[in-house]
């Protein structure tokens, strides 16, 4: 009965590769988010979707492309991975402006 | 100037003491404020939310908000070793500044409660 789940939990890849991270929530929420937490533990929002519509798009390289096929899923595709992309990526969801619930995170390591 | 500032710590307190965590924010129009707890290697989990000036208590936790001073704090009474974690302050900026459901996080304060 996991609320917000992400796959994979760990991702190790080479520079230049393309990878995807998937997120699913079973809370009935209508808003989903991607956050990046860097090595200094600073958590920063990247994207947000409300009812499959992109509503927040922070200053993120266009190598990052989110996609929300439905309200319960939000994926993140990253092209041409760079060393600086190494971080923990958290998915979160909420109902409108209510409390955001975070997934377990995906630790991405780019070699 | 950082939008949400916290002392990175570590803040070390003895078991049973009161831990006081502080946070300041720059956008005066912000209306919603949150404290998240993050254990090492885990995801953030909500501890408290506060929207009005004053205090809000929930068990051993008390959140305090002073909008005039742009200051929000979290007090943890009777601190336990299990409270040892990083505490993240998050602020929701006004929606007019592209802040629809957007949370701006501070860098977090690491709390260490020693027996």
């Amino acid at each position: 009965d996991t609320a917000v789940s992400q796959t994979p939990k760990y991702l190790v890849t080479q520079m230049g590769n393309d990878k995807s991270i998937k997120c699913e929530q079973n809370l009935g929420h209508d808003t989903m988010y991607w956050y990046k937490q860097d090595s200094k533990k600073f958590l920063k929002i990247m994207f947000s979707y409300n009812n499959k519509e992109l509503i927040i798009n922070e200053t993120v390289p266009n190598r990052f492309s989110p996609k929300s096929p439905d309200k319960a899923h939000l994926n993140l595709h990253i092209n041409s991975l760079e060393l600086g992309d190494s971080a923990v990526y958290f998915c979160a969801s909420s109902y409108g402006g209510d409390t955001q619930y975070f997934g377990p995170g995906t630790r991405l390591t780019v070699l | 100037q950082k939008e949400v500032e916290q002392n990175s710590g570590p803040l070390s307190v003895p078991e049973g003491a009161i831990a006081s965590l502080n946070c300041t924010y720059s956008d005066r129009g912000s209306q919603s404020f949150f404290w998240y707890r993050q254990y090492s290697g885990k995801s953030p989990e909500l501890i408290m939310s506060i929207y009005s000036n004053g205090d809000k208590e929930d068990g051993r936790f008390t959140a305090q908000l002073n909008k005039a001073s742009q200051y929000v704090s979290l007090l943890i009474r009777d601190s336990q070793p299990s409270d040892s974690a990083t505490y993240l302050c998050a602020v929701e900026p006004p929606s007019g500044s592209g802040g629809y459901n957007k949370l701006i996080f501070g860098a977090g304060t690491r709390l260490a409660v020693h027996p």
Side-chain angles (χ1 to χ4, degrees):
Chain A
D1 57 347
T2 305
V4 183
S5 59
Q6 295 179 227
T7 54
K9 189 169 174 63
Y10 300 96
L11 188 51
V12 181
T13 188
Q14 299 286 333
M15 268 198 313
N17 283 350
D18 303 337
K19 290 294 179 186
S20 291
I21 307 171
K22 296 187 175 183
C23 178
E24 177 180 0
Q25 55 93 5
N26 62 5
L27 297 168
H29 290 165
D30 59 359
T31 307
M32 297 184 72
Y33 313 78
W34 279 115
Y35 286 86
K36 178 181 179 181
Q37 189 168 46
D38 60 25
S39 57
K40 290 190 167 75
K41 306 301 183 188
F42 193 56
L43 192 63
K44 188 171 172 61
I45 191 166
M46 301 172 68
F47 304 102
S48 176
Y49 275 77
N50 176 260
N51 284 318
K52 301 193 296 176
E53 179 185 348
L54 182 66
I55 57 170
I56 296 175
N57 186 352
E58 292 294 288
T59 306
V60 175
N62 58 16
R63 299 181 293 103
F64 290 79
S65 51
K67 188 168 290 185
S68 181
D70 55 58
K71 286 195 302 183
H73 296 85
L74 179 62
N75 303 323
L76 182 66
H77 187 76
I78 315 170
N79 289 324
S80 304
L81 279 154
E82 300 177 356
L83 293 176
D85 298 331
S86 295
V88 180
Y89 292 84
F90 287 102
C91 176
S93 73
S94 69
Y95 187 74
D98 287 345
T99 301
Q100 294 186 25
Y101 293 88
F102 284 79
T106 296
R107 182 174 295 276
L108 171 65
T109 303
V110 182
L111 303 175
Chain B
Q1 180 189 4
K2 290 182 183 174
E3 295 178 81
V4 179
E5 293 209 48
Q6 296 180 254
N7 188 322
S8 61
L11 173 65
S12 183
V13 301
E15 185 174 357
I18 296 176
S20 178
L21 304 159
N22 305 315
C23 171
T24 58
Y25 59 95
S26 60
D27 195 329
R28 185 171 288 277
S30 299
Q31 296 294 324
S32 304
F33 308 87
F34 307 87
W35 282 100
Y36 281 82
R37 177 177 63 198
Q38 186 174 25
Y39 291 112
S40 181
K42 301 295 185 183
S43 57
E45 56 177 325
L46 183 72
I47 298 296
M48 295 281 289
S49 58
I50 187 166
Y51 307 98
S52 305
N53 279 329
D55 294 359
K56 179 181 177 182
E57 187 175 317
D58 184 0
R60 295 186 297 113
F61 299 96
T62 299
Q64 299 174 318
L65 175 61
N66 184 326
K67 290 185 180 179
S69 301
Q70 295 173 240
Y71 175 92
V72 58
S73 65
L74 179 71
L75 300 178
I76 306 174
R77 289 181 298 283
D78 188 22
S79 295
Q80 302 297 309
S82 59
D83 294 326
S84 298
T86 297
Y87 289 80
L88 304 171
C89 174
V91 175
E92 185 173 348
S95 57
S97 59
Y100 184 90
N101 297 348
K102 174 178 168 178
L103 289 183
I104 308 296
F105 281 85
T109 297
R110 191 157 58 91
L111 173 67
V113 181
H114 53 87

